[in-house]
Amino acid sequence: MESVNVGIIGCGQFSSYHIRELCKFPDVRLVAVCSRNKENALKSVELIHEHGKKQRPEKIAIYTDYHEMVRFPAIDAVTVCTPPPAHAQPMIAAAKAGKHVFCEGPMAVDLEQCDAMIATARSQRIRFTVQHTNRFNKNVYMAKKTLSDGLLGKVLMAKMDFIAPSGLRPEDHIAHVHWRLSKQGSGGGILFHAGRYAIDTFLWLMGDVHEVYGKMESFSHGSEVEDCASATLNFSNGAIGQMFLMGLAPPGVLRSPFYQIEILATKAVLTVIPEWSVKSDNEDFTYELNEKLSLESSGPCDGWASQLRDWIDAIKAGKEPLFPCESFRSQVELARALYKSVAINVPVQLPLQKDDSFYSF
Ligand SMILES: NC(=O)c1ccc[n+]([C@@H]2O[C@H](COP(=O)([O-])OP(=O)(O)OC[C@H]3O[C@@H](n4cnc5c(N)ncnc54)[C@H](OP(=O)(O)O)[C@@H]3O)[C@@H](O)[C@H]2O)c1
């Protein structure tokens, strides 16, 4: 396959990032857009014409129904840019039609939907990935390798803090659409919006969780989703974890999220984000780990662009994307387990079983 023909489903705010980025790839053609409101679809067509000059899109098909769009034979793949509760249905329809799928995050709002999406992707043998671009970050990539190689010794504790400057107050610009502040519309608050990246990265580094106990609140007037959450985690590797997420930094205090991941192990303390730092009393060991980072940092480390590139390369080569689609389910499972823990005010064991009322939304 020389070039990949892509269609966009859901023409809102974030689809414009997909369009701008995909238009940079010489081996991608944006050939169709779909939004229930044709005006939104037409705006996306304009954007493709503006940014896709090199790709010379001859004609861009416009749909208002994704069922029709996925039957369009000229499309090889779609990106799904609808709100979280509307990810599963178009993804599954596209996969059943044999189209590869790049889905916006979170994967879905519950585990029933995630499992149906994964099962369809596997049975249809399509390339399916979910936008969690923090995994395509140099420090995260190296930390994962450092942990997998056992270089830190036994991991004892890990801590993640995430404070978003805005997003979950009715007056925030990103909350322009009411779905973000309603449970039905979004699936959840900070755990499903800005904080989902941080949770996904934390779990990707630390592995499976077997128990979680949490607290959360919705402090913002006019919002029914959580804007603050904290949790204590027990990881399957024996380590204890702590996460602290907030979507309500005082106005003007932060221009970008405050985000930190720290791992405390028997041989060293590793800060992964915001800056890579190794603290140990063994200078040779510290030097070796820092050297390793600079020497082996040739991985896919360009965030958003790297993940889209990885997906397109996987389609062209008929291979798996770098991260298996199953791995993106963990963030949704942890969020659902945390909601359960808050609802019943006790620690909750993972995995959540299919007959658990928190398995489905
Ligand atoms: N905005 C960001 O900064 C950001 C960042 C990272 C990830 N994301 C993710 O990207 C996805 C889209 O977010 P967005 O900010 O682009 O949202 P948005 O501006 O509301 O756009 C979503 C579009 O999807 C269409 N749509 C299709 N089915 C829908 C349904 N059942 N309910 C409502 N709209 C529906 C709507 O267009 P029609 O009405 O024309 O169908 C709408 O324009 C979400 O999953 C979000 O989590 C967004």
Side-chain angles (χ1 to χ4, degrees):
M1 185 185 280
E2 278 195 11
S3 70
V4 181
N5 289 344
V6 178
I8 307 276
I9 300 179
C11 298
Q13 188 181 32
F14 212 63
S15 64
S16 63
Y17 289 83
H18 289 224
I19 291 171
R20 286 194 186 90
E21 212 54 58
L22 287 167
C23 280
K24 290 180 190 161
F25 297 157
D27 52 353
V28 169
R29 287 173 68 231
L30 285 167
V31 295
V33 295
C34 174
S35 223
R36 296 168 309 175
N37 177 341
K38 199 172 174 186
E39 293 300 308
N40 290 336
L42 286 168
K43 282 186 203 148
S44 290
V45 170
E46 270 175 38
L47 203 63
I48 296 171
H49 283 300
E50 185 187 330
H51 290 273
K53 292 196 174 81
K54 280 190 210 144
Q55 299 174 351
R56 297 188 197 290
E58 294 130 31
K59 189 171 182 309
I60 299 160
I62 296 175
Y63 293 89
T64 52
D65 180 348
Y66 65 80
H67 292 100
E68 275 180 38
M69 175 172 160
V70 298
R71 287 201 293 269
F72 185 30
I75 296 177
D76 303 308
V78 299
T79 76
V80 174
C81 307
T82 47
H87 286 175
Q89 287 180 349
M91 182 275 155
I92 289 170
K96 282 186 175 165
K99 315 297 182 194
H100 307 286
V101 183
F102 183 103
C103 185
E104 257 313 317
M107 180 186 283
V109 293
D110 69 19
L111 296 172
E112 188 180 2
Q113 293 181 351
C114 289
D115 287 342
M117 292 162 90
I118 293 166
T120 312
R122 290 302 179 200
S123 65
Q124 294 297 115
R125 297 174 181 273
I126 57 125
R127 311 294 155 214
F128 170 40
T129 194
V130 179
Q131 199 254 100
H132 272 294
T133 48
N134 272 9
R135 292 196 200 176
F136 290 77
N137 162 299
K138 185 165 106 173
N139 291 8
V140 172
Y141 182 78
M142 282 313 301
K144 179 71 180 174
K145 190 150 183 7
T146 303
L147 289 164
S148 305
D149 292 351
L151 299 179
L152 295 181
K154 182 169 169 45
V155 178
L156 307 176
M157 298 187 85
K159 190 163 87 66
M160 184 269 278
D161 296 320
F162 180 88
I163 306 176
S166 64
L168 288 168
R169 274 178 289 245
E171 64 273 26
D172 289 338
H173 76 282
I174 204 169
H176 66 291
V177 273
H178 68 279
W179 64 258
R180 286 185 187 279
L181 304 180
S182 97
K183 274 187 195 152
Q184 281 301 326
S186 63
I190 188 76
L191 302 182
F192 275 92
H193 294 307
R196 74 179 170 83
Y197 293 102
I199 296 173
D200 176 77
T201 306
F202 196 44
L203 299 180
W204 172 245
L205 291 174
M206 290 297 297
D208 292 341
V209 172
H210 81 82
E211 190 175 274
V212 60
Y213 177 59
K215 293 281 174 197
M216 60 181 71
E217 289 292 342
S218 176
F219 288 115
S220 179
H221 178 69
S223 162
E224 56 180 42
V225 295
E226 80 286 349
D227 41 43
C228 294
S230 74
T232 303
L233 314 171
N234 290 96
F235 290 100
S236 301
N237 63 12
I240 300 169
Q242 188 75 45
M243 355 184 274
F244 179 79
L245 299 116
M246 188 200 198
L248 288 180
V253 170
L254 293 175
R255 300 187 80 177
S256 54
F258 172 83
Y259 178 24
Q260 191 166 306
I261 294 182
E262 208 164 36
I263 296 170
L264 296 84
T266 48
K267 289 171 85 176
V269 174
L270 172 66
T271 306
V272 183
I273 287 172
E275 300 292 335
W276 177 275
S277 126
V278 180
K279 293 187 192 74
S280 134
D281 64 357
N282 181 334
E283 280 181 22
D284 292 344
F285 173 73
T286 307
Y287 178 78
E288 191 197 323
L289 271 188
N290 288 333
E291 275 296 286
K292 211 170 155 45
L293 173 73
S294 50
L295 288 175
E296 295 186 22
S297 60
S298 56
C301 292
D302 195 12
W304 175 232
S306 292
Q307 189 171 10
L308 274 172
R309 189 65 248 171
D310 176 59
W311 177 62
I312 295 292
D313 287 343
I315 294 170
K316 289 178 72 177
K319 59 171 188 163
E320 273 287 288
L322 188 60
F323 303 112
C325 56
E326 290 81 0
S327 68
F328 298 105
R329 179 186 187 275
S330 317
Q331 173 256 326
V332 178
E333 181 170 40
L334 186 72
R336 297 297 298 161
L338 202 41
Y339 291 140
K340 178 175 178 180
S341 168
V342 170
I344 60 177
N345 197 22
V346 291
V348 166
Q349 311 284 318
L350 282 81
L352 287 184
Q353 304 299 328
K354 284 190 175 168
D355 59 359
D356 192 303
S357 60
F358 282 79
Y359 178 83
S360 305
F361 190 67

